[in-house]
Amino acid sequence: MDRCRCRTNCAVGQVQVCRIGGSPQFELLGDQASSGMGQEDIVSDPDIIDDVLARVSAAYGVTIADIFSERRTRRVLPARHAAIYLAQKLSDAGARDIGRRFGGRDYTTVLMTCRAMERLIAQDSQVAQALSRLESECSENPGCGDA
């Protein structure tokens, strides 16, 4: 059974963020689901969120670790918000699951981020175009953003 080093239960293909010794540890889990999680906790298609992460990190010039981090710099925050918004829009995962996938964030953070992104899209056509392009890339060729 594939598990992260801190022994938390993780879904198949999920990138798990664990705090070991105060620093985040990122692990992409393998092909076996671990026990202890209910069916409602497992993202229906984790590849969609992984694809969103790969494409957003490439488009914004940040790493996936940056997106999962607690940093709130001008470079990282827009990428994190875009990734959370697209993950919510393109996957069947709920806000709670997405929050877990994005560094253990609370579901209310996911909901507020999505609302803020919707307002920003309505106000800024460049952001709207960039997110629309990323959304269509993720929808047309899922799994191709893996690097």
Side-chain angles (χ1 to χ4, degrees):
M1 179 180 325
D2 290 332
R3 292 176 153 224
C4 64
R5 284 176 275 181
C6 72
R7 303 288 180 226
T8 57
N9 295 317
C10 309
V12 175
Q14 181 175 5
V15 177
Q16 179 66 33
V17 181
C18 304
R19 299 247 177 248
I20 299 175
S23 63
Q25 303 292 320
F26 304 98
E27 295 187 13
L28 180 59
L29 300 180
D31 294 314
Q32 297 176 334
S34 63
S35 61
M37 291 189 83
Q39 279 299 100
E40 67 278 1
D41 293 332
I42 297 175
V43 176
S44 62
D45 190 2
D47 292 337
I48 292 172
I49 296 177
D50 292 340
D51 188 41
V52 165
L53 285 166
R55 290 178 188 275
V56 168
S57 68
Y60 283 81
V62 299
T63 66
I64 293 175
D66 287 335
I67 293 173
F68 289 144
S69 75
E70 294 179 14
R71 277 181 251 140
R72 297 179 48 84
T73 63
R74 279 191 215 193
R75 214 175 60 117
V76 173
L77 202 57
R80 182 181 305 129
H81 286 181
I84 289 172
Y85 173 77
L86 290 172
Q88 175 81 2
K89 189 166 183 179
L90 297 174
S91 75
D92 294 333
R96 195 172 309 273
D97 294 327
I98 292 171
R100 285 185 198 138
R101 293 284 307 271
F102 282 82
R105 288 175 166 74
D106 190 70
Y107 77 97
T108 57
T109 301
V110 173
L111 296 175
M112 290 176 60
T113 297
C114 291
R115 287 186 195 124
M117 289 302 293
E118 288 168 357
R119 286 192 302 271
L120 184 60
I121 288 167
Q123 295 170 356
D124 190 335
S125 63
Q126 287 182 330
V127 171
Q129 288 174 347
L131 287 174
S132 177
R133 185 175 58 252
L134 283 168
E135 181 182 352
S136 65
E137 288 174 8
C138 291
S139 297
E140 291 170 5
N141 301 312
C144 295
D146 301 337

